[in-house]
Amino acid sequence: MNKFLKLLTASAAAAVVAVCSAVTVSAEDITLDITAEPSSGSWGQSVKYLTSRNADISDAFDPCTMTEDSVVQVSYECDLEDDRNHIELIFQTWGEHTTEVTADWNKIPVSSHSEGYSEFTYADIAAAYGTDDFSEVYAICVGDTGEAPITVTSIVITNVGESDGSAAAEEVTETEAEETTAEETTAEEETTTAEETTTAEETTTAEETTTTEETTTTAEETTTAAETTTKAETTTAAEAAEEASSSGIEAGAVIIVVIIVIVVAAIVVIILLMRGKGPKTNNDDWKR
């Protein structure tokens, strides 16, 4: 029985060690690959580190991998050799926001410090930034407090977890969005072209209809004019015929009267002639 309990205790201890090992493996300290320069001494920046939350940067630190146990540790050089804090840690963002970030330029309060060294906790970072969603943290900056120039020598972030690939997913999403926008633009251009073509066809049809109507109207007017002219000509011809007919009747009547006069005259002449040729009395015979 005692052996069984010992075996059970040993197994539990091994399990605890395995779990702790797994946690240790999954959480690690990251040293940022920085390029530092002396700050101006008037709230100037010594480091501006661009994170992997930028779509075009994939091999940088992802702030979304920080855990609640993470601490940002900054070492620096300063001409003021005392144990006061002489740096500012800034979590910077820009553009349109989908998270509840406080501002584009978020100053993090220092949690502990010593000569040339300062620490900033996860809780203080989240409180100053406005949210623990760091998906829009595009830059981590370190500058001076306006007292003296500083030069950052290292930035270490502790207890960092594994990346969930959100930055890559965002990049893919942005690419898809660009493609979708391009497709929508093409569709809009095609729609606009179709509308312009339809409008042009309607305009052409309207013009053709107007031209046809004008041609028809002109033809009708021409036909009406021709009919009017024909009617006028017909009327004139009829009137002329009537006048000619009337003139002919009058001339015929005159001719008939003349003929009658001539005939009467001829009859009178004939009668007179016939009377003139009647039997004469022979005076000589009478005398005898």
Side-chain angles (χ1 to χ4, degrees), residues 174-184:
E174 289 181 1
T175 303
E176 291 177 349
E178 291 176 357
E179 292 177 352
T180 302
T181 303
E183 292 176 356
E184 291 177 351

Side-chain angles (χ1 to χ4, degrees), residues 172-277:
V172 171
T173 302
E174 289 181 1
T175 303
E176 291 177 349
E178 291 176 357
E179 292 177 352
T180 302
T181 303
E183 292 176 356
E184 291 177 351
T185 303
T186 303
E188 289 177 358
E189 290 177 352
E190 291 177 352
T191 303
T192 303
T193 303
E195 290 177 353
E196 291 176 353
T197 303
T198 303
T199 303
E201 290 178 352
E202 291 177 351
T203 303
T204 303
T205 303
E207 292 177 353
E208 291 176 351
T209 303
T210 303
T211 303
T212 303
E213 290 177 352
E214 291 177 353
T215 304
T216 304
T217 304
T218 304
E220 290 177 351
E221 291 176 353
T222 303
T223 303
T224 304
E227 290 176 353
T228 303
T229 303
T230 303
K231 288 179 180 179
E233 291 176 352
T234 304
T235 303
T236 303
E239 291 176 353
E242 288 179 358
E243 291 178 358
S245 178
S246 299
S247 300
I249 292 171
E250 292 177 357
V254 172
I255 292 170
I256 291 171
V257 171
V258 171
I259 292 172
I260 291 172
V261 171
I262 293 171
V263 170
V264 171
I267 293 172
V268 171
V269 170
I270 292 170
I271 292 172
L272 291 175
L273 289 175
M274 290 180 65
R275 285 182 178 180
K277 291 181 177 182

Side-chain angles (χ1 to χ4, degrees), residues 14-24:
V16 171
V17 171
V19 171
C20 292
S21 298
V23 171
T24 303

Side-chain angles (χ1 to χ4, degrees), residues 28-73:
E28 59 179 345
D29 297 346
I30 299 293
T31 300
L32 302 186
D33 185 11
I34 62 173
T35 300
E37 58 183 16
S39 68
S40 64
S42 300
W43 294 277
Q45 304 303 306
S46 175
V47 169
K48 183 174 183 177
Y49 179 85
L50 298 178
T51 72
S52 65
R53 304 313 298 183
N54 294 277
D56 57 345
I57 300 175
S58 59
D59 57 350
F61 171 68
D62 183 359
C64 290
T65 59
M66 289 192 301
T67 65
E68 293 181 355
D69 297 324
S70 293
V71 176
V72 178
Q73 303 171 339

Side-chain angles (χ1 to χ4, degrees), residues 67-118:
T67 65
E68 293 181 355
D69 297 324
S70 293
V71 176
V72 178
Q73 303 171 339
V74 182
S75 299
Y76 61 95
E77 296 176 351
C78 180
D79 293 339
L80 300 176
E81 297 179 355
D82 53 39
D83 59 357
R84 293 185 299 143
N85 175 64
H86 296 290
I87 65 170
E88 291 182 341
L89 176 66
I90 306 296
F91 270 39
Q92 186 182 7
T93 183
W94 51 74
E96 298 293 331
H97 300 302
T98 59
T99 61
E100 298 178 354
V101 57
T102 302
D104 288 346
W105 189 262
N106 303 281
K107 178 182 175 181
I108 313 301
V110 64
S111 60
S112 63
H113 56 83
S114 59
E115 183 178 348
Y117 177 82
S118 298

